[in-house]
């Protein structure tokens, strides 16, 4: 998407005289600005980017099983060149606003959200009634540190989001591995 959106948005002729490095730089800049303007801004999210924008020190990524190992953002890392499917620095609140922006037709039409919901497009069915939708993701680094996150859209317009600056380590009472979306589902159902 980082390359496709700029080519569709500006047209292929815009890039015909550029070399590979120029195309990489320009498409990444166009993509980031496009997503900020057409996705995040309509959802009421400002100040996000593919580099951290919050106060320092930045949140670290931990290895759940060895908290002595952690990773901090490297300011020399230019995530613009791989930010198509991830690498956006969002707080939990901003991530929730993004998902609610989808559900409340702030980013695109209610018909498109219904198509996503009904067809499991960009989301997965979960729950005993198969009436929840979810998606998760994460980052695992070579030392075992990383992060994970998930959102779950429940009936009645309820959306829950969790971001965890560690990978793994969650188990239920029977020792089975739990994922972030399972924690959200259990919390929601326990609150009913």
């Amino acid at each position: 998407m980082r390359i496709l959106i700029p080519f569709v948005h500006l047209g292929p002729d815009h890039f015909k005289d550029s070399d590979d490095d120029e195309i990489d730089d320009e498409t990444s800049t166009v993509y980031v600005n496009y997503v900020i303007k057409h996705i995040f801004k309509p959802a009421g999210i400002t100040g996000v980017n593919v580099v951290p924008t919050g106060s320092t020190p930045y949140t670290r990524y931990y290895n759940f099983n060895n908290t002595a190992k952690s990773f901090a953002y490297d300011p020399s890392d230019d995530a613009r060149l791989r930010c198509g499917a991830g690498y956006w620095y969002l707080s939990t609140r901003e991530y929730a606003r993004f998902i609610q922006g989808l559900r409340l037709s702030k980013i695109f039409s209610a018909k498109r959200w219904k198509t996503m919901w009904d067809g499991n497009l960009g989301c997965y069915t979960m729950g005993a009634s198969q009436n929840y939708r979810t998606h998760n993701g994460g980052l695992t680094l070579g030392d075992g540190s990383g992060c994970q996150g998930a959102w779950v859209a429940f009936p009645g317009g309820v959306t829950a989001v969790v971001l965890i600056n560690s990978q793994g380590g969650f188990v239920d009472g029977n020792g089975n591995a739990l994922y972030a979306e399972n924690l959200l589902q259990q919390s929601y159902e326990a609150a009913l």
Side-chain angles (χ1 to χ4, degrees), residues 112-128:
R112 286 195 178 138
W113 172 255
K114 184 172 178 0
T115 299
M116 284 179 66
W117 184 278
D118 292 346
N120 286 326
L121 302 172
C123 57
Y124 312 100
T125 302
M126 72 178 302

Side-chain angles (χ1 to χ4, degrees), residues 8-86:
V8 170
H9 184 60
L10 297 177
D13 287 344
H14 181 85
F15 302 99
K16 70 179 179 184
D17 295 327
S18 301
D19 65 30
D20 288 346
D21 289 338
E22 290 170 329
I23 288 176
D24 284 345
D25 186 55
E26 191 169 357
T27 57
S28 63
T29 300
V30 169
Y31 173 76
V32 167
N33 291 334
Y34 183 91
V35 171
I36 288 170
K37 181 178 179 181
H38 296 284
I39 304 297
F40 292 130
K41 187 176 179 184
I45 303 166
T46 59
V48 298
N49 210 315
V50 294
V51 296
T53 56
S55 60
T56 56
Y58 299 122
T59 301
R60 300 181 74 81
Y61 302 130
Y62 291 96
N63 178 325
F64 187 86
N65 297 311
N66 183 353
T67 57
K69 291 186 176 183
S70 66
F71 172 82
Y73 168 73
D74 177 359
S76 67
D77 180 23
D78 187 354
R80 292 178 315 129
L81 298 179
R82 62 181 183 284
C83 65

Side-chain angles (χ1 to χ4, degrees), residues 168-179 182-183 186:
F170 300 104
V171 294
D172 66 15
N174 298 319
N176 299 313
L178 290 175
Y179 299 95
N182 301 123
L183 299 172
Q186 289 178 2

Side-chain angles (χ1 to χ4, degrees), residues 7 16 24 28 41 100 103 119 135 149 152:
F7 271 82
K16 70 179 179 184
D24 284 345
S28 63
K41 187 176 179 184
Q100 278 299 89
R103 291 187 84 172
H135 194 68
V152 180

